[in-house]
Amino acid sequence: MRIIVMSDSHGSVSRVRQIFEEEPGAELYLHLGDGAADFVKAGWLFPSTTRMGVLGNCDPSRELALPKTGLVELGGKRIFYTHGDLYRVKHGLEEIEAAGREKEADIVLYGHTHTALQEYREGLWLLNPGSVLDSSHTPAGYLALDLTPTGVVPVFKKF
């Protein structure tokens, strides 16, 4: 099972659309906030896809009926996802790791920092796809997350 995870598109509907076009056939497309409206708009062009998302700290909550966090079971894995601001991920991963463990997650997906990250801590994956936009300190990208019978395979993709 393949899940495409993106975050922090900040107004770039075209970049989100490009991800949908580059990754046809994924079982789920997930946006981790700060550009949730971009995800909704691009998703209109791909109506047969399954899409989920959350609001980030820069998303106007009155315009979109999306939660701040989500929890889903896919491919035999429990996945907790959020933007990351609620768990102060720019100051460390302790709070988001604790939240993932409290929810008995196997995988925690978050954004907010604009920096891709992969960590495995005592049975818990912590994954950040980075930003779909280039910045001065990190290239643009997203995450293709494969859930296989042998385990979790995170593949970071760059533009």
Side-chain angles (χ1 to χ4, degrees):
M1 165 176 277
R2 177 162 274 202
I3 303 167
I4 300 302
V5 186
M6 61 193 90
S7 189
D8 296 280
S9 51
H10 292 284
S12 182
V13 176
S14 62
R15 188 53 66 90
V16 174
R17 179 182 175 181
Q18 182 180 350
I19 294 170
F20 277 100
E21 290 170 345
E22 288 182 6
E23 298 289 345
E27 282 81 6
L28 175 65
Y29 298 83
L30 182 60
H31 194 287
L32 300 176
D34 281 3
D38 311 329
F39 185 64
V40 170
K41 289 174 187 172
W44 291 339
L45 301 171
F46 305 91
S48 64
T49 59
T50 302
R51 300 176 304 278
M52 297 168 68
V54 292
L55 295 174
N57 60 302
C58 294
D59 290 317
S61 59
R62 285 173 272 147
E63 294 178 20
L64 299 168
L66 292 173
K68 293 288 280 179
T69 66
L71 188 64
V72 65
E73 283 201 38
L74 295 167
K77 300 295 180 190
R78 193 168 170 93
I79 302 168
F80 172 60
Y81 58 98
T82 187
H83 182 60
D85 57 308
L86 298 176
Y87 301 95
R88 302 174 346 127
V89 295
K90 288 186 177 180
H91 303 286
L93 300 179
E94 293 77 17
E95 288 184 37
I96 200 162
E97 178 182 359
R101 292 192 187 285
E102 178 182 300
K103 294 176 184 340
E104 298 179 352
D106 301 295
I107 301 166
V108 172
L109 301 172
Y110 70 97
H112 191 52
T113 66
H114 294 213
T115 303
L117 178 112
Q118 169 186 318
E119 280 195 34
Y120 185 74
R121 295 183 178 184
E122 298 177 18
L124 180 66
W125 285 94
L126 300 171
L127 299 167
N128 184 329
S131 173
V132 304
L133 299 175
D134 290 312
S135 73
S136 59
H137 65 281
T138 183
Y142 61 95
L143 172 65
L145 182 60
D146 292 324
L147 306 179
T148 73
T150 57
V152 175
V153 182
V155 179
F156 290 90
K157 307 269 188 133
K158 301 293 180 205
F159 288 103

